[in-house]
Amino acid sequence: MTEPADDVDAVVAAWRRERPDLDVTPLEVLSRVSRLARRLDLARGSAFAEHLLEGWAFDVLSALRRAGEPYELSPGALVQQTLVTSGTMTNRVDRLERSGFVERRPDPGDRRGVLVRLTPAGRDIVDAAMADLIEQEKSLLSQLSPSDQSLLATLLRSMLAPLESREP
């Protein structure tokens, strides 16, 4: 059975024609990953927009939700999980606090520190956005069988894990 052609096939063919001296095989994988990432960003944006959230807000709220009861983390932990600067995180927490989705409270373990806690409204909105996100992502994966999805996850993990382990 022949696989369906996509736009990457045309790009790869054109590069092979124009630069036969280059092995453009990596484009066959990574250009598809890049194009899928763009479509995933659009699907995520759509899921978040249904709840009047932006991607950055979902990232912060979901980090707090994944922390488990009492759904709180230090600003430093949020910085690590969301890969932004501390100044950016301060701005994001300020905005989420004004929206009523998080609150700051003193850190009982460090009298100079604060913890950021998810409010009930924040929990409700991140839970609803997550449910919609999962539906969007299921739709994106619908062309693959469950075993192919598992294989793809394994292959992507084997590629991503060494890259992430090199990051500070």
Side-chain angles (χ1 to χ4, degrees):
M1 183 167 93
T2 304
E3 293 295 318
D6 62 15
D7 291 344
V8 173
D9 291 320
V11 169
V12 169
W15 276 117
R16 285 191 171 130
R17 181 188 70 240
E18 295 300 318
R19 290 294 310 270
D21 58 309
L22 292 178
D23 176 10
V24 296
T25 304
L27 294 177
E28 294 187 63
V29 174
L30 299 178
S31 289
R32 287 184 174 96
V33 168
S34 176
R35 288 169 183 252
L36 283 168
R38 279 190 235 135
R39 283 173 172 73
L40 177 57
D41 283 344
L42 291 171
R44 286 182 167 196
S46 172
F48 303 152
E50 291 292 317
H51 303 280
L52 304 177
L53 288 177
E54 295 182 50
W56 64 264
F58 179 83
D59 288 346
V60 174
L61 297 174
S62 65
L64 293 166
R65 181 67 167 101
R66 291 189 314 267
E69 288 275 1
Y71 309 115
E72 63 186 16
L73 293 169
S74 69
L78 286 170
V79 163
Q80 286 181 323
Q81 289 195 31
T82 60
L83 305 176
V84 298
T85 66
S86 60
T88 297
M89 183 53 63
T90 298
N91 179 276
R92 290 178 176 184
V93 170
D94 287 346
R95 291 174 67 184
L96 290 169
E97 191 172 36
R98 284 193 299 272
S99 297
F101 298 144
V102 302
E103 61 189 10
R104 287 181 173 98
R105 67 178 207 86
D107 183 344
D110 176 3
R111 63 186 184 131
R112 294 172 294 158
V114 298
L115 294 172
V116 179
R117 179 179 283 182
L118 194 61
T119 64
R123 182 177 172 183
D124 289 347
I125 201 163
V126 74
D127 282 355
M130 183 64 180
D132 286 349
L133 172 62
I134 293 300
E135 289 306 311
Q136 290 277 355
E137 292 186 354
K138 281 181 182 177
S139 176
L140 286 173
L141 291 169
S142 66
Q143 298 300 311
L144 298 177
S145 69
S147 63
D148 283 348
Q149 290 179 38
S150 180
L151 174 61
L152 181 58
T154 299
L155 292 170
L156 290 172
R157 182 183 307 107
S158 68
M159 189 176 171
L160 185 58
L163 297 172
E164 289 180 337
S165 71
R166 288 186 239 155
E167 295 172 354

